[in-house]
C-alpha cells in the first residue's frame, strides 16, 4: 500500500515534495520505509535539509485547563544540503525507526477512537521550513499488546477512548514525553467495585510494563478513588499463558490494594487529573510477572472516524 502527498512547498513555481511510504502500517520497534521525491521549481534552489518526523496529538495540562497539542516524537534527516536544478527530480530513500514506546493507533485494522498519528515531511530552503506535508501512519500492537487487549474484551470490558497524556510515569522506563491511556468501561462482574479502567503500556525491546489505573466506586460512607497496579511482561510470554486469567488477577489485585496504598500515602489523585494521579502512583504499586495468550475478537466499537477531521483539517 502506498500513501502519496503532493505539496507545493514554496508557492507557485517553487520546489515540491512528494513523500511516499512503502507501507503506512507498522509496529513499535519496527521502521517506516519510504522515499522523499523532490521536484525542482522554475528556478534553481539550494535545499538546506529534508527531514521526516512522527507527530501525534497529545493532551496537555496547564493550570486548571487541559488542551490538545501536536507533538513530534521521532525524527530523522533524509538529506543534508543539496542543489536542486529547475525541474530536476530527485528520489531520496529513508528509514525511520518507530520507537518501542510509540502509541498504538490501530487494532486489527480499526482505528482506536481518539488516536491520530502522522509522518510530517519538512523541506528547508533559504531558512524557510514547510511543515504542512502530512501522511497518515498506523501503528499496530505487538503480540503481547494484542493478548492483553483481547483479554479485556473477553472479560467484558467495553472500549471507551484512547488518548496521549503529556508527562512521565515515575518508576517506569518511559523515555517519550507522553504516555498512552486506553480507557475501558468496567465489565459487569467488576461493576460493583470499579467504574472504569485505564491501561498504559510502556514498551521496551525486552517486554512491556503494564500500568493499570482503576476508578474504584465509592461506598455509602466512602468516596470513590483511583487505585494503581504495575506489572511486567516479556515479549516471549505472548503465546504462553491464559491472558484472561492473568488480567483478571491483575484487576483483582489492583482493586484490593487500596488500603495498603492509602497507609503508604499513595492511590490518591482525582480521576479528572489522570496525569497527576498516574504520576503519583508508582512507589505504592506492586510489580508482578505474568504472560500468556488468548484468542478473541477485537473491540468493535474502538473505531476512529475521519482522519482529516480529527486533525482539524491538517490531513487531507
Amino acid at each position: 500500500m502506498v500513501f502519496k502527498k503532493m505539496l507545493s512547498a514554496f508557492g507557485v513555481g517553487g520546489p515540491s515534495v512528494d513523500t511516499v511510504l512503502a507501507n503506512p502500517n507498522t509496529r513499535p520497534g519496527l521502521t517506516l520505509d519510504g522515499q522523499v521525491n523532490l521536484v525542482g521549481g522554475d528556478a534553481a534552489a539550494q535545499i538546506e535539509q529534508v527531514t521526516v518526523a512522527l507527530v501525534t496529538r497529545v493532551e496537555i495540562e496547564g493550570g486548571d485547563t487541559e488542551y490538545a497539542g501536536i507533538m513530534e516524537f521521532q525524527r530523522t534527516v533524509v538529506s543534508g544540503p543539496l542543489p536542486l536544478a529547475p525541474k530536476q527530480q530527485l528520489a531520496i530513500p529513508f528509514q525511520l525507526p518507530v520507537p518501542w514506546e510509540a502509541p498504538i493507533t490501530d487494532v486489527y485494522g480499526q482505528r482506536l477512537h481518539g488516536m491520530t498519528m502522522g509522518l510530517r515531511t519538512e523541506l528547508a530552503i533559504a531558512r524557510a521550513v514547510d511543515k504542512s506535508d502530512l501522511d497518515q501512519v498506523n501503528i499496530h500492537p505487538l503480540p503481547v499488546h494484542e493478548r492483553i487487549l483481547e483479554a479485556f474484551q473477553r472479560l467484558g470490558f467495553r472500549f471507551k477512548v484512547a488518548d496521549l497524556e503529556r508527562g512521565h510515569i515515575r518508576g517506569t522506563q518511559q523515555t517519550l514525553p507522553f504516555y498512552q491511556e486506553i480507557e475501558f468501561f468496567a465489565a459487569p462482574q467488576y461493576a460493583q467495585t470499579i467504574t472504569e479502567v485505564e491501561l498504559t503500556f510502556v514498551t521496551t525491546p525486552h517486554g512491556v510494563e503494564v500500568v493499570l489505573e482503576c476508578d474504584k466506586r465509592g461506598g455509602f460512607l466512602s468516596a470513590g478513588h483511583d487505585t494503581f497496579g504495575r506489572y511486567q511482561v516479556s515479549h516471549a510470554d505472548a503465546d504462553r499463558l491464559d491472558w484472561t486469567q492473568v488480567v483478571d488477577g491483575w484487576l483483582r489485585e489492583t482493586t484490593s490494594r487500596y488500603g495498603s496504598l492509602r497507609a503508604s500515602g499513595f492511590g490518591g489523585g482525582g480521576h479528572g487529573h489522570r496525569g497527576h494521579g498516574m504520576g503519583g502512583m508508582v512507589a505504592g504499586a506492586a510489580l508482578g510477572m505474568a504472560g500468556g495468550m488468548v484468542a478473541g475478537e477485537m473491540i468493535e466499537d474502538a473505531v476512529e472516524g475521519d482522519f482529516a477531521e480529527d486533525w482539524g483539517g491538517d490531513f487531507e
Side-chain angles (χ1 to χ4, degrees), residues 40 45 71 75 80 96 135 141 154 192 221 235 251 263 272 303 307-308:
M71 185 174 290
R75 159 187 291 254
L96 177 66
D135 296 280
R154 287 221 166 196
Q192 296 300 315
L221 297 176
H235 292 297
L251 290 165
V303 184
F307 185 79

Side-chain angles (χ1 to χ4, degrees), residues 179-252:
Y179 55 89
Q180 183 176 32
E181 290 182 336
I182 302 173
E183 301 180 29
F184 296 91
F185 294 110
Q189 67 265 37
Y190 304 92
Q192 296 300 315
T193 306
I194 55 178
T195 56
E196 296 180 359
V197 173
E198 295 173 2
L199 167 67
T200 294
F201 296 125
V202 181
T203 307
T204 72
H206 307 291
V208 181
E209 290 178 88
V210 180
V211 181
L212 301 179
E213 179 179 356
C214 297
D215 187 2
K216 198 166 184 181
R217 286 188 182 277
F220 179 65
L221 297 176
S222 62
H225 49 261
D226 295 340
T227 62
F228 302 91
R230 183 157 58 96
Y231 303 91
Q232 185 75 33
V233 299
S234 166
H235 292 297
D237 289 334
D239 296 334
R240 290 178 177 170
L241 300 178
D242 182 344
W243 278 102
T244 305
Q245 184 179 38
V246 168
V247 172
D248 177 67
W250 290 348
L251 290 165
R252 296 187 187 280

Side-chain angles (χ1 to χ4, degrees), residues 63-209:
D64 295 327
T65 63
E66 185 174 72
Y67 59 95
I70 303 303
M71 185 174 290
E72 175 186 302
F73 66 97
Q74 182 75 328
R75 159 187 291 254
T76 191
V77 175
V78 175
S79 173
L82 59 88
L84 189 64
K87 308 304 180 183
Q88 180 183 2
Q89 298 183 20
L90 289 178
I92 310 171
F94 68 86
Q95 189 173 72
L96 177 66
V98 178
W100 284 96
E101 292 175 36
I104 297 165
T105 66
D106 291 71
V107 181
Y108 294 139
Q110 296 186 338
R111 173 71 49 151
L112 287 178
H113 180 73
M115 293 307 304
T116 55
M117 184 71 59
L119 181 75
R120 181 171 66 194
T121 303
E122 298 180 3
L123 180 64
I125 179 172
R127 293 176 297 281
V129 178
D130 193 299
K131 296 185 177 182
S132 61
D133 186 15
L134 291 167
D135 296 280
Q136 180 172 332
V137 170
N138 312 312
I139 299 180
H140 299 262
L142 293 167
V144 69
H145 299 144
E146 287 184 349
R147 307 298 182 259
I148 293 169
L149 292 170
E150 288 168 351
F152 270 92
Q153 193 209 17
R154 287 221 166 196
L155 290 167
F157 286 81
R158 291 187 300 110
F159 175 83
K160 179 183 177 182
V161 71
D163 66 4
L164 303 179
E165 298 279 345
R166 187 176 69 172
H168 189 276
I169 305 173
R170 287 182 292 159
T172 69
Q173 299 183 55
Q174 179 188 341
T175 61
L176 292 182
F178 56 78
Y179 55 89
Q180 183 176 32
E181 290 182 336
I182 302 173
E183 301 180 29
F184 296 91
F185 294 110
Q189 67 265 37
Y190 304 92
Q192 296 300 315
T193 306
I194 55 178
T195 56
E196 296 180 359
V197 173
E198 295 173 2
L199 167 67
T200 294
F201 296 125
V202 181
T203 307
T204 72
H206 307 291
V208 181
E209 290 178 88

